[in-house]
DNA sequence: CTGTATCCAGCGCGATACTG
DNA sequence: CAGTATCGCGCTGGATACAG
């Protein structure tokens, strides 16, 4: 008989916070530079406006991103990583590298890049 | 005008493979030891049999886990990480540590553990 | 430009029953 | 024990319209 103890695995804590459908990709983009709403939307070519807004709100609520509104017409909103948000970047870097290695290992590596200088994501 | 280039971010490649609802948690459990189907099910207390089977099949198809069937009655099936599966463990370790730090930073850290000696996950 | 607010179609997933 | 098969509900998320 195995000893069983209930506990909440902190891996799932992390998944609750950055595991949302678009959250990792949003954080990854913001790790390179502060971006406006429309810039994020262009980089994540498949997100709908509704989803992007929703995911941004949750990331803001959880303290990972900062939302700065400029009192201008037309309105401008810039999103950036908080220190807490920056602390997840090492995880994303590992994921980026692992994905690259995986594609190479499975020989699907043609025409794949993940450099911050490139601007649009095909998800 | 920004330069826009289409590419597939390798972060999303990784998410496609380990981003499934239970996959990270399955890999995390298997990183400590080989487990039988029923052992996995007990450790992931909220998974249904259907979902566990489905996620295991996909992880196997993607080359992250190995499925070994023993020709016995009653049947016994053991799941373990392949070398490819072991290569994601560093990501999971970072996630585990980050989750722990997050709980501490947000002062929800009471009664939380993530040690491999503990056996059951409340997701 | 950066959002809200509805509506509703699709399917993810749970529940249940059955099997080698 | 370790699955497979089927049914159906509930919620996710897309489409659309509207607004500050």
């Amino acid at each position: 008989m195995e000893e069983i103890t209930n506990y909440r695995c902190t891996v799932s804590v992390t998944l609750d916070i950055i595991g949302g459908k678009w959250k990792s990709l949003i954080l990854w983009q913001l790790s390179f530079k502060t971006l406006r709403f429309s810039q994020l939307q262009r980089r994540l070519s498949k997100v709908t406006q509704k989803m992007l807004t929703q995911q941004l709100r949750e990331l803001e609520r959880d303290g990972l991103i900062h939302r700065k509104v400029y009192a201008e017409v037309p309105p401008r909103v810039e999103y950036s990583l908080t220190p807490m948000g920056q602390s997840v970047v090492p995880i994303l870097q590992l994921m980026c590298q692992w994905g690259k290695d995986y594609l190479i290992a499975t020989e699907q590596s043609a025409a794949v890049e993940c450099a911050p200088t490139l601007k649009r994501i095909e998800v």
Side-chain angles (χ1 to χ4, degrees), chain A residues 37 48-58:
Chain A
F37 185 87
T48 60
Q49 196 172 44
K50 176 185 174 180
M51 283 310 296
L52 183 54
T53 302
Q54 186 181 113
Q55 302 280 294
L56 286 169
R57 291 291 175 278
E58 293 182 13

Side-chain angles (χ1 to χ4, degrees), chain A residues 108-123:
Chain A
Q108 309 170 236
S109 52
V112 173
E113 217 11 274
C114 201
T117 52
L118 301 176
K119 295 303 190 301
R120 186 189 294 253
I121 293 182
E122 293 283 347
V123 181

Side-chain angles (χ1 to χ4, degrees), chain A residues 9-117:
Chain A
C9 176
T10 55
V11 169
S12 50
V13 171
T14 303
L15 288 172
D16 280 350
I17 297 182
I18 66 166
K21 194 174 159 98
W22 297 96
K23 291 180 183 175
S24 294
L25 263 15
I26 290 170
L27 295 171
W28 183 237
Q29 289 301 314
L30 294 181
S31 74
F32 302 123
K33 60 180 294 198
T34 294
L35 292 171
R36 301 178 58 168
F37 185 87
S38 54
Q39 292 177 309
L40 269 171
Q41 197 169 17
R42 251 173 292 133
R43 280 165 172 74
L44 278 44
S45 56
K46 303 279 200 308
V47 234
T48 60
Q49 196 172 44
K50 176 185 174 180
M51 283 310 296
L52 183 54
T53 302
Q54 186 181 113
Q55 302 280 294
L56 286 169
R57 291 291 175 278
E58 293 182 13
L59 287 170
E60 188 189 6
R61 181 203 61 197
D62 293 334
L64 300 194
I65 65 175
H66 175 68
R67 179 171 181 266
K68 180 166 187 180
V69 183
Y70 292 84
E72 301 175 357
V73 176
R76 179 161 56 111
V77 180
E78 288 185 350
Y79 293 92
S80 58
L81 296 186
T82 62
M84 180 71 77
Q86 285 163 20
S87 71
V88 325
V89 174
I91 297 177
L92 303 175
Q93 285 171 337
L94 264 192
M95 289 176 61
C96 176
Q97 185 59 51
W98 191 89
K100 216 178 290 189
D101 294 343
Y102 181 84
L103 290 178
I104 291 168
T106 57
E107 294 179 344
Q108 309 170 236
S109 52
V112 173
E113 217 11 274
C114 201
T117 52

Side-chain angles (χ1 to χ4, degrees), chain A residues 1-5:
Chain A
M1 182 60 184
E2 279 182 280
E3 184 196 344
I4 300 288
T5 308

